[in-house]
């Protein structure tokens, strides 16, 4: 399946830790760690970063993640749901790419311990388990 859209939500306006998605663990930003995991996935995908901050966009592009649009201010606040960000990203990417995506995968940079196998298992369960959605928590 090659109609998978990976959305990395990374807004700049975190109140707890300023620009938390650019913070480093062992010398690598959370954006780079997420990019590294994505680049090792064993399936075809389109991966984008949804951000409202130019420094985050610059970091994403540095590590081969696309930033095809900047997230509007109207969906960048503290009270905005994941659904709003994912829906915006999906609709924008379907217009830009002129194709429909069957699966939307959200990979938050603030979960740096996830592995390629974690993601691949979720996709496998989603497809083979005949589920509408799969969500991981820890």
């Amino acid at each position: 399946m090659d109609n998978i859209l990976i959305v990395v939500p990374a807004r700049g306006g975190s109140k707890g830790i300023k620009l938390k998605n650019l913070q480093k663990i062992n010398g690598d930003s959370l954006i780079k760690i997420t990019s590294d995991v994505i680049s090792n996935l064993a399936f075809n995908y389109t991966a984008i970063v949804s951000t409202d901050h130019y420094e985050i966009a610059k970091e994403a592009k540095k590590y081969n993640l696309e930033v095809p649009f900047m997230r509007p201010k109207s969906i960048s606040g503290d009270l905005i749901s994941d659904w709003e960000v994912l829906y915006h990203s999906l609709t924008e990417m379907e217009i830009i790419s002129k194709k429909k995506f069957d699966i939307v995968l959200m990979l938050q940079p603030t979960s740096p311990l996830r592995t390629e196998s974690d993601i691949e298992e979720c996709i496998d369960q989603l497809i083979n388990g005949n589920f509408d959605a799969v969500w991981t928590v820890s």
Side-chain angles (χ1 to χ4, degrees):
M1 175 171 294
D2 62 353
N3 291 332
I4 297 175
L5 176 63
I6 298 174
V7 179
V8 179
R11 70 184 182 95
S14 173
K15 290 187 182 211
I17 300 173
K18 184 177 169 85
L19 293 174
K20 69 181 171 192
N21 296 296
L22 297 179
Q23 295 300 309
K24 295 184 178 186
I25 296 175
N26 293 330
D28 291 333
S29 71
L30 292 175
I31 292 290
K32 181 185 184 307
I33 293 167
T34 303
S35 174
D36 289 348
V37 168
I38 291 170
S39 68
N40 289 315
L41 293 172
F43 53 82
N44 294 324
Y45 56 81
T46 299
I48 66 161
V49 172
S50 171
T51 188
D52 59 348
H53 198 279
Y54 289 101
E55 287 299 315
I56 293 172
K58 183 178 168 185
E59 182 82 353
K61 290 174 186 176
K62 179 178 173 182
Y63 295 108
N64 301 313
L65 291 171
E66 294 181 44
V67 186
F69 52 81
M70 293 300 285
R71 189 189 310 176
K73 209 171 230 184
S74 62
I75 58 167
S76 293
D78 289 343
L79 301 177
I80 300 303
S81 69
D82 292 339
W83 164 251
E84 291 168 284
V85 173
L86 294 175
Y87 182 77
H88 173 263
S89 297
L90 174 63
T91 55
E92 288 295 313
M93 284 307 297
E94 287 186 340
I95 292 167
I96 291 168
S97 67
K98 296 179 175 57
K99 77 177 193 177
K100 295 285 184 189
F101 292 93
D102 299 314
I103 295 173
V104 178
L105 175 63
M106 180 175 68
L107 297 180
Q108 295 171 314
T110 52
S111 295
L113 300 181
R114 107 194 105 228
T115 65
E116 295 87 356
S117 63
D118 294 333
I119 297 166
E120 290 166 358
E121 278 184 49
C122 284
I123 295 293
D124 185 57
Q125 285 185 26
L126 179 70
I127 294 169
N128 297 321
N130 199 28
F131 297 116
D132 292 329
V134 177
W135 194 283
T136 62
V137 294
S138 63

